[in-house]
Amino acid sequence: MAAAEGQWVLMATGRTPTNIAVIKYWGKRDEALILPINDSISVTLDPDHLSATTTVAVSPSFPSDRMWLNGKEISLLGGRFQSCLREIRKRARDFEDKEKGVKIKKEDWDKLHVHIASYNNFPTAAGLASSAAGLACFVFTLGKLMNAKEDYGELSSIARQGSGSACRSIYGGFVKWCMGEKDDGSDSIAVQLADETHWNDLVIIIAVVSSKQKETSSTSGMRDSVETSPLLQYRAQTVVPGRVLKMEEAIKNRDFESFAKLTCADSNQFHAVCLDTSPPIFYMNDTSHRIISLVEKWNHSEGTPQVAYTFDAGPNAVLIAQNRKTAAHLLQKLLYYFPPQDNDLSRCRRIAFHERRRGSSSTSRDEDTGSEIQGRC
Amino acid sequence: MAAAEGQWVLMATGRTPTNIAVIKYWGKRDEALILPINDSISVTLDPDHLSATTTVAVSPSFPSDRMWLNGKEISLLGGRFQSCLREIRKRARDFEDKEKGVKIKKEDWDKLHVHIASYNNFPTAAGLASSAAGLACFVFTLGKLMNAKEDYGELSSIARQGSGSACRSIYGGFVKWCMGEKDDGSDSIAVQLADETHWNDLVIIIAVVSSKQKETSSTSGMRDSVETSPLLQYRAQTVVPGRVLKMEEAIKNRDFESFAKLTCADSNQFHAVCLDTSPPIFYMNDTSHRIISLVEKWNHSEGTPQVAYTFDAGPNAVLIAQNRKTAAHLLQKLLYYFPPQDNDLSRCRRIAFHERRRGSSSTSRDEDTGSEIQGRC
């Protein structure tokens, strides 16, 4: 290390969008390495909307690793953060900033502590994949800072060890997380099925039914399902493989009908498995059910799907419309049936439309494509 | 037929309790004969509480078959009523009332029309098995009136053709509906596992969350599940057979822990299959979920199950307590968390405790054991 110790700080900021699974991940075959029991497929959102922004700083003056999430310090001692830190440090390379007179050899990164500040521009732990965005951003930005080799597959594998679905947020567009077969997890990585330009007339509307933190975390929920649901393994081994193939085909052909049917059916099956868990897990509530009924009735009356719905580990609806016209129609219906300003309605009927976003968007961390990674200072 | 035509009326009244499945029936392999895709097990309630009371009358002066349900005339043209009428008429025997001077030969029953008036003392079509009680009562009382041979297995098979689960209401206590294997359904009958005295410290509390008629009838719901749920056949073929054996064992040994765990798990799995149906079927609502959470937390904190819950095709909770003491404790908890008088609570949180009943009760239609079948007039 050059420059007097404590005299300098290196910093990088990244922004990573969340992703929404259309074929769901639920259940691990290895808790420590976060290896799933089935493949999953997701669409990455536009980073302008639901995303995590993370700044990572390193300095010889930092006596320990520390992290702040949404302004509040959280522990970095958990195995997940430690795995990501360790894996990125392993891949760190020589770095030099001549202007600042800072030179770090790859073996010296181990001696430097990091400070991490992350911020989600949407509700945290409310079933909107905040941890996917957060961990992917953490890994990506740390990799940038430490000058790690940029192999996206490898980065996705590291992000996976932070939060399973984070591996899918490394790419924009449509992404498949291949479960892999190896015990060491080295083949459990994400791959991009189609980039963000492939099917860009889709519009995604997120209806935030509740921004409360969920009662059952995804981690403990899926552990309980693996241990107690008689239906889960059948789903993973027999139902999902066929659905993954059909979903890949639907995405390739921009076949909205198949895409919508598969998306809705897989969301419902994931929640069915939650209900088949002991004790049962309820992520959806009456308002979620009403949104589903609204969409189902509309799709039925039109004879062909107009909108797909999917719910992650929370009551909030992710609605995917075929195009802007359908999205406008959908919004109209939602606002009619769930008026946000109607205080007479009981709490379970209120709904807020938190964000409106265009689907299949890009990550914006890559310096070559309009990156948000800021210069080192 | 003796006596001048139109001069006489023969009448019989019966009362049949509803039954609550602890291993659920969901899915038919034959729609017309009502043959199920798996065995099911139920407990028959005390007829003093949730029951159907049916009066059947026959007279040469009746020009056609007619039926009234809860005071409102309904059509008897449906295949289900017709099947039951046809099957009982087939089994009718010679009858004579010397006092009235009425004599009917078995072949003459075919020429006589019936009037049927049925009344449920609990919400109809709200997922409390009203059709089970109603159809069983219809078959039983008609059989009495027409002097049909009283083979309970055969009566259960006729009631089955009216409403599948009605076959289980023919007996008191714990009852198993054997799915059978034959194409003609002749081996798809109910058998009594244990009579109403076997485990009579159980107490059943029914928490009526809503007495509204359900949106999706059981008939169309299970048809949709059979056609669209990838999980249903796996449940029927792989999960249920093992559960049926364990449940029979639990009932035999009055093993409440096993009984409660199986009951809750099977209720949840049935609703999971409903959710896995396309479009998904939601019978439970937020209040149902809150009741489940209350019971699960209580059972967990005690280390051993105090209460089992089960939900049929509706939001209403059937809660089975191990004994009177536990039942009192349960009622106390329910009344605390769901105060019936609190009008400030939103509709989805209100709950009424409609009935309190002792479990595993007898049917009361058998003339040998204090029957409610009234004399012919």
Side-chain angles (χ1 to χ4, degrees):
Chain A
M1 273 175 276
E5 291 217 348
Q7 301 283 309
W8 53 270
V9 176
L10 285 184
M11 210 182 277
T13 296
R15 192 168 65 154
T16 305
T18 189
N19 72 78
I20 301 292
V22 288
I23 299 291
K24 301 291 188 193
Y25 151 56
W26 195 252
K28 300 182 181 77
R29 64 178 202 276
D30 185 309
E31 287 271 341
L33 291 169
I34 309 192
L35 302 176
I37 58 171
N38 58 256
D39 294 346
S40 54
I41 293 178
S42 61
V43 51
T44 299
L45 301 186
D46 188 317
D48 280 346
H49 300 289
L50 276 69
S51 63
T53 301
T54 302
T55 297
V56 186
V58 68
S59 168
S61 67
F62 294 164
S64 63
D65 295 331
R66 295 174 73 181
M67 179 165 181
W68 292 260
L69 175 60
N70 298 328
K72 199 178 153 194
E73 185 158 11
I74 61 167
S75 167
L76 260 176
L77 292 178
R80 296 168 161 228
F81 287 115
Q82 290 301 322
S83 297
C84 294
L85 270 169
R86 187 185 61 238
E87 293 300 318
I88 292 289
R89 276 179 173 135
K90 254 194 230 171
R91 286 160 181 83
R93 293 182 301 182
D94 292 350
F95 170 80
E96 183 169 12
D97 183 329
K98 283 186 181 163
E99 215 171 283
K100 285 184 191 277
V102 176
K103 199 170 173 177
I104 306 173
K105 286 194 173 167
K106 64 178 183 180
E107 61 270 22
D108 288 336
W109 283 108
D110 262 355
K111 299 167 200 154
L112 289 165
H113 289 290
V114 292
H115 281 189
I116 303 146
S118 191
Y119 171 77
N120 297 323
N121 65 353
F122 63 102
T124 300
L128 289 171
S130 58
S131 66
L135 267 297
C137 197
F138 172 69
V139 165
F140 195 90
T141 313
L142 201 66
K144 284 278 176 195
L145 181 78
M146 296 192 174
N147 202 22
K149 198 171 135 249
E150 265 185 31
D151 175 312
Y152 275 37
E154 210 166 303
L155 282 182
S156 82
S157 163
I158 298 169
R160 189 203 73 226
Q161 295 173 61
S163 169
S165 53
C167 70
R168 296 186 311 236
S169 269
I170 292 291
Y171 300 93
F174 292 93
V175 184
K176 176 179 168 184
W177 174 11
C178 307
M179 60 178 285
E181 289 175 358
K182 295 187 186 165
D183 284 344
D184 68 358
S186 56
D187 57 349
S188 188
I189 59 168
V191 294
Q192 191 180 52
L193 294 177
D195 72 15
E196 50 274 21
T197 62
H198 171 68
W199 198 356
N200 57 11
D201 41 357
L202 292 184
V203 179
I204 299 185
I205 290 171
I206 300 192
V208 179
V209 172
S210 166
S211 55
K212 274 205 310 188
Q213 290 213 3
K214 54 199 171 199
E215 273 185 42
T216 309
S217 76
S218 307
T219 304
S220 73
M222 66 176 80
R223 189 186 302 129
D224 288 350
S225 289
V226 168
E227 285 170 7
T228 65
S229 166
L231 302 178
L232 178 62
Q233 293 296 340
Y234 179 77
R235 159 175 163 73
Q237 287 162 20
T238 310
V239 183
V240 173
R243 285 188 175 169
V244 164
L245 290 176
K246 282 182 193 159
M247 183 59 93
E248 288 189 58
E249 201 62 19
I251 291 169
K252 194 176 131 201
N253 301 327
R254 298 185 201 88
D255 169 0
F256 188 76
E257 182 167 348
S258 302
F259 175 81
K261 284 181 178 168
L262 286 163
T263 297
C264 299
D266 208 64
S267 171
N268 291 329
Q269 188 169 86
F270 149 54
H271 291 279
V273 164
C274 289
L275 190 44
D276 188 49
T277 299
S278 175
I281 306 163
F282 311 109
Y283 286 127
M284 296 198 288
N285 64 20
D286 285 348
T287 307
S288 318
H289 294 174
R290 287 183 63 220
I291 295 172
I292 289 179
S293 296
L294 184 156
V295 173
E296 289 283 359
K297 278 175 192 161
W298 185 23
N299 286 347
H300 181 76
S301 72
E302 298 283 343
T304 174
Q306 307 294 301
V307 167
Y309 57 81
T310 186
F311 294 73
D312 276 346
N316 303 312
V318 177
L319 300 158
I320 309 176
Q322 193 166 7
N323 51 48
R324 294 178 81 95
K325 196 177 148 198
T326 326
H329 200 163
L330 171 65
L331 260 183
Q332 204 175 23
K333 279 176 183 280
L334 287 171
L335 290 165
Y336 178 79
Y337 287 106
F338 304 93
Q341 300 305 326
D342 188 344
N343 291 322
D344 290 340
L345 290 177
S346 66
R347 190 163 147 265
C348 73
R349 291 185 64 192
R350 273 212 312 268
I351 188 167
F353 301 104
H354 211 258
E355 298 279 348
R356 179 168 176 257
R357 71 214 58 261
R358 309 255 324 260
S360 53
S361 342
S362 70
T363 59
S364 67
R365 300 163 316 281
D366 190 337
E367 282 172 328
D368 300 328
T369 58
S371 163
E372 297 237 350
I373 297 291
Q374 295 170 3
R376 295 160 196 273
C377 55
Chain B
M1 271 175 277
E5 292 220 344
Q7 301 283 309
W8 54 269
V9 176
L10 285 185
M11 208 183 279
T13 295
R15 193 169 66 153
T16 306
T18 189
N19 73 79
I20 300 293
V22 290
I23 299 291
K24 301 290 188 195
Y25 151 54
W26 196 250
K28 300 182 182 77
R29 65 176 201 278
D30 186 309
E31 288 270 341
L33 291 169
I34 309 191
L35 303 176
I37 58 171
N38 57 256
D39 294 348
S40 53
I41 294 177
S42 60
V43 52
T44 300
L45 301 186
D46 188 319
D48 281 345
H49 300 290
L50 276 69
S51 63
T53 301
T54 302
T55 298
V56 186
V58 69
S59 168
S61 67
F62 294 165
S64 63
D65 296 332
R66 295 175 73 181
M67 179 164 181
W68 292 260
L69 176 60
N70 297 327
K72 200 178 154 192
E73 183 158 11
I74 61 167
S75 166
L76 259 177
L77 292 178
R80 297 169 161 227
F81 287 114
Q82 290 301 323
S83 297
C84 294
L85 271 168
R86 188 185 60 239
E87 295 298 319
I88 292 289
R89 277 181 172 135
K90 255 194 233 171
R91 287 161 181 82
R93 294 181 300 183
D94 293 351
F95 169 81
E96 182 169 14
D97 184 331
K98 283 184 180 164
E99 215 171 285
K100 284 183 191 276
V102 176
K103 198 171 174 181
I104 306 173
K105 284 192 174 167
K106 64 177 182 180
E107 59 272 23
D108 288 337
W109 284 108
D110 261 355
K111 299 168 199 154
L112 289 164
H113 289 289
V114 292
H115 281 188
I116 303 147
S118 191
Y119 171 74
N120 298 322
N121 65 354
F122 63 103
T124 299
L128 289 171
S130 58
S131 66
L135 266 298
C137 196
F138 172 71
V139 166
F140 195 91
T141 313
L142 201 66
K144 284 278 175 196
L145 182 76
M146 297 192 172
N147 201 23
K149 198 173 134 248
E150 265 184 31
D151 176 312
Y152 275 36
E154 211 166 303
L155 282 182
S156 83
S157 164
I158 298 170
R160 190 204 73 225
Q161 295 172 61
S163 169
S165 52
C167 71
R168 295 186 310 236
S169 269
I170 293 291
Y171 301 93
F174 292 93
V175 183
K176 176 179 168 183
W177 174 10
C178 308
M179 61 178 283
E181 289 176 359
K182 294 186 186 163
D183 284 344
D184 68 357
S186 57
D187 57 348
S188 188
I189 59 168
V191 294
Q192 191 180 52
L193 295 176
D195 73 13
E196 50 274 21
T197 62
H198 170 68
W199 198 356
N200 59 9
D201 42 358
L202 291 184
V203 180
I204 299 186
I205 289 171
I206 300 193
V208 178
V209 172
S210 167
S211 55
K212 274 204 310 186
Q213 289 211 4
K214 55 199 171 197
E215 274 186 42
T216 309
S217 77
S218 307
T219 304
S220 74
M222 67 176 79
R223 189 187 303 128
D224 289 348
S225 290
V226 168
E227 284 170 9
T228 66
S229 166
L231 301 178
L232 177 62
Q233 293 297 340
Y234 179 77
R235 158 175 165 73
Q237 288 163 21
T238 312
V239 183
V240 174
R243 284 187 175 170
V244 164
L245 291 176
K246 283 183 192 157
M247 184 59 92
E248 290 189 58
E249 201 62 20
I251 291 168
K252 192 175 132 202
N253 302 326
R254 298 185 202 89
D255 168 1
F256 188 76
E257 181 166 348
S258 302
F259 174 80
K261 284 182 178 168
L262 286 163
T263 297
C264 299
D266 208 65
S267 172
N268 291 329
Q269 189 169 88
F270 149 53
H271 291 279
V273 165
C274 289
L275 190 44
D276 189 48
T277 300
S278 175
I281 306 163
F282 310 109
Y283 287 126
M284 295 198 291
N285 64 20
D286 285 348
T287 307
S288 318
H289 293 174
R290 287 183 62 219
I291 294 173
I292 289 180
S293 295
L294 185 156
V295 172
E296 288 283 358
K297 279 176 191 160
W298 185 23
N299 287 347
H300 181 78
S301 73
E302 298 283 342
T304 176
Q306 306 295 300
V307 168
Y309 57 81
T310 186
F311 294 74
D312 275 347
N316 303 312
V318 177
L319 301 158
I320 309 174
Q322 192 165 9
N323 51 48
R324 293 178 82 93
K325 196 178 150 197
T326 326
H329 199 165
L330 170 66
L331 261 183
Q332 202 176 24
K333 279 177 182 282
L334 287 171
L335 291 165
Y336 178 79
Y337 287 106
F338 304 93
Q341 300 306 325
D342 189 344
N343 291 322
D344 290 340
L345 289 177
S346 66
R347 189 160 149 267
C348 73
R349 291 184 63 193
R350 274 211 313 268
I351 188 166
F353 302 105
H354 210 256
E355 297 279 349
R356 179 165 178 261
R357 74 213 59 262
R358 309 252 328 254
S360 51
S361 344
S362 70
T363 60
S364 66
R365 300 163 315 281
D366 190 337
E367 284 173 326
D368 302 328
T369 59
S371 163
E372 297 237 349
I373 298 289
Q374 294 169 5
R376 296 159 196 273
C377 56

